[in-house]
Amino acid sequence: MNFTRIEIPKPARFVSTVVENHQLSSRYFLMVLSKPEGFPDPAPGSFLHMAVPTSGRFFLRRPFSIFDCNGETITLLIVEKGEGTRILRELGAGETVDFLGPLGEAFPLLPGQRILAVAGGVGLAPLYYYQKFVSRTLDKRVCPECYQLVYGGRSEEDLFLSAIDLADEGSLLATDDGSYGFRGNAAQLAEVELERNPVDALFSCGPTPMLKAVADLAVQAGIAHWVSLENRMACAVGACRSCVIPVSAKEQAGKDVKERYKTVCHDGPVFNANEVIWERLPEP
Amino acid sequence: MSASNNDISVKIGPVAFKNPVFLASGICGYGEEYASIIPQKKLGGIVTKTITLEPRAGNPPPRIRELPTGALNSIGLENVGLDAYIREKLPLLKDLEVDAVVSITAETEDEFTRIAEAFAPLEGYRGIELNLSCPNVEGTALDHGRDPAYVEKITSIVKERIPKKTLWVKITPNLADVGLVARAAEAGGADAISAVNTVIGTDFDLSTGKPIFARVGAGYSGPGILPIALFKVWEVAHSVSIPVVGIGGISSVEDARKFFLAGAIAVQVGTALYSDPELPIRIVEALRAHPEWARREGGST
Ligand SMILES: Cc1cc2nc3c(=O)[nH]c(=O)nc-3n(C[C@H](O)[C@H](O)[C@H](O)COP(=O)(O)OP(=O)(O)OC[C@H]3O[C@@H](n4cnc5c(N)ncnc54)[C@H](O)[C@@H]3O)c2cc1C
Ligand SMILES: Cc1cc2nc3c(=O)[nH]c(=O)nc-3n(C[C@H](O)[C@H](O)[C@H](O)COP(=O)(O)O)c2cc1C
Ligand code: FES
């Protein structure tokens, strides 16, 4: 398939301040950061490696996909999981944060091709940003109308309808409990949508079972599929080899390579789904 | 700010470094990964990821778990192998103007010999660190890191082939008597002892009841190992007359100072780099402002 890799700027360390932490639902919040001077335009799929500001204990940094980025701000969509995300949620406007970024490989540009992007939960971030990125980039190679976003959350609360009007922006919505839109997950809604409107490629980001279901759809339809994966990280720049996933091994120079790993932080987080070994994907 | 021009260079074996602050092996990859994030050329140097004769794929994931006091890792020496290192990684270090010490390990005497011979005619690196202490692989030499006779033999094999470079032997803290291995390395001609590598530990997943890591044992690093590392460095400094490079748990300028007090002539920053990439540079600046904090000569006090 004809695709273009978006050029990735070199990462650096930045210090910035919280503009606002906006609670969207009981579990989700938007963290709006002031865009530091010199922060390059991030590609959709890129992430930041955020320091957890505390003197209480040792923390590795935490990776978060870029949900939006404009002239003044960078926004993250975060779901509270444990202590790190709780500390980040409790930061007030004006407090200092420190991050590395932008990091990782982005979703590719697919000139003139139709894409169905399937997002579950917090996996919305990179796929929402892709839509923004494409509509802002007045690049003839891409067409915003060719990009259809499907988003699924647990219930209506997780669709943040009051804050981000996804329905207004033409996205298709699903809830696990059927409290809004299609009843089921984003992959199930994507299956229905694919029957109606075939596409050239699938993008996905979200919980592993959903990603796996999208991978099956892509295989059945015989179309390309790019997926954004997660794993625990230490360096986030490809140095420590902590965040690897097994990928399908090819014969290398006549040698039978038993194992092959790629880093989620540097080779990914966006992978061509056909190299992912789903059965052996580690649970972060 | 004349203090910031203070000379804090340090000589370790035949090689002088501009200051005594390094990045530890396995932390900063091959030097290129952090190139746009920290000015590595302002450091004394970096120790690159341990390489082996053949490339290694490393251990299956998960490879890392965070603890409130550091991290457990089970990387399993994933590395590009000797040939790719020399062909692709070594030239990069020159472009980056980074002073590098190359970390190597092997499973047999013959392999150590072949690696040392490959480096003997090369330039673009300042020395070799022998990793005889990685807990995350089953290799004979790594277990032999506990055997003084073997350590002496390997050290002399490598040193003979790189007489003009500095040779550091990195030891494990997972030994009752680190002095024994350190003295063996000294007898084999080591220019310094790097102490320490990670402390062996493990963790269990309460939801499955199983160990987190496939190999069960993993390498514990970060602030929690500081007191262990400091004591091992103190013991080594009292056992040998060659310099000691202190490693383990450094997460502040104060932590680094304690290694000099324990008898180290230089320090390496490890896991803390991941939370605080500026730390090594802050240590360099603090030492320039207070050169009396650093130690210029090896050996015990
Ligand atoms: C490339 C990438 C992009 C990400 N983007 C986002 C995002 O846009 N928004 C968002 O909310 N989260 C995102 N995550 C996940 C986020 O990094 C974790 O949820 C977060 O680090 C958890 O930190 P904690 O201290 O709150 O949880 P912890 O107390 O560390 O862990 C609690 C639980 O969270 C899960 N977890 C921990 N670390 C990770 C991790 N690195 N990845 C996935 N799950 C993890 C595990 O199930 C763990 O048991 C992303 C992860 C990656 C790798
Ligand atoms: C992810 C990771 C990878 C490592 N890889 C190596 C390695 O390849 N060779 C080596 O000699 N030490 C390796 N180490 C050990 C460190 O160099 C250092 O000795 C140890 O982490 C203790 O220092 P710290 O507490 O400051 O991290 C590694 C440590 C970590 C955390
Ligand atoms: S987190 Fe270090 S290599 Fe990916």
Side-chain angles (χ1 to χ4, degrees), chain A residues 34-54:
Chain A
S34 66
K35 185 174 166 184
E37 194 154 332
F39 185 78
D41 273 339
S46 300
F47 67 96
L48 303 182
H49 208 30
M50 302 280 298
V52 178
T54 170

Side-chain angles (χ1 to χ4, degrees), chain A residues 215-269:
Chain A
D216 291 342
L217 291 179
V219 172
Q220 278 159 29
I223 54 179
H225 175 202
W226 278 270
V227 56
S228 179
L229 298 174
E230 294 186 349
N231 205 351
R232 304 272 183 116
M233 293 183 179
C235 71
V237 296
C240 72
R241 321 307 291 177
S242 290
C243 65
V244 298
I245 56 159
V247 294
S248 49
K250 289 198 202 82
E251 294 257 321
Q252 277 180 347
K255 274 187 215 160
D256 192 16
V257 186
K258 276 203 265 22
E259 288 285 83
R260 219 167 131 250
Y261 300 109
K262 282 192 172 182
T263 57
V264 170
C265 71
H266 189 69
D267 302 314

Side-chain angles (χ1 to χ4, degrees), chain B residues 62-96:
Chain B
R63 291 184 175 182
I64 189 113
R65 274 300 176 266
E66 181 190 80
L67 303 169
T69 51
L72 282 168
N73 87 75
S74 180
I75 309 296
L77 289 186
E78 174 177 347
N79 78 90
V80 298
L82 177 71
D83 289 350
Y85 184 88
I86 291 176
R87 208 175 46 240
E88 294 159 20
K89 307 300 180 185
L90 204 54
L92 286 173
L93 295 166
K94 194 163 174 233
D95 298 344
L96 295 170

Side-chain angles (χ1 to χ4, degrees), chain A residues 8-18 31-36 38-52 60-70 73-78 85 88 97-105 125-126 129 228 230-231 233-237 264-265 268-269, chain B residues 37 274:
Chain A
I8 308 295
K10 291 242 177 275
R13 174 177 170 267
F14 292 95
V15 175
S16 152
T17 52
V18 177
M31 178 175 242
V32 185
L33 305 172
S34 66
K35 185 174 166 184
F39 185 78
D41 273 339
S46 300
F47 67 96
L48 303 182
H49 208 30
M50 302 280 298
V52 178
L60 291 168
R61 285 167 184 258
R62 300 290 193 258
F64 299 101
S65 296
I66 291 168
F67 175 78
D68 202 0
C69 181
N70 58 38
T73 58
I74 307 169
T75 305
L76 308 175
L77 171 68
I78 303 181
T85 44
L88 289 171
V97 288
D98 156 356
F99 56 80
L100 310 181
L103 298 160
E105 272 295 338
Y129 182 49
S228 179
E230 294 186 349
N231 205 351
M233 293 183 179
C235 71
V237 296
V264 170
C265 71
Chain B
I37 296 177
Y274 298 145

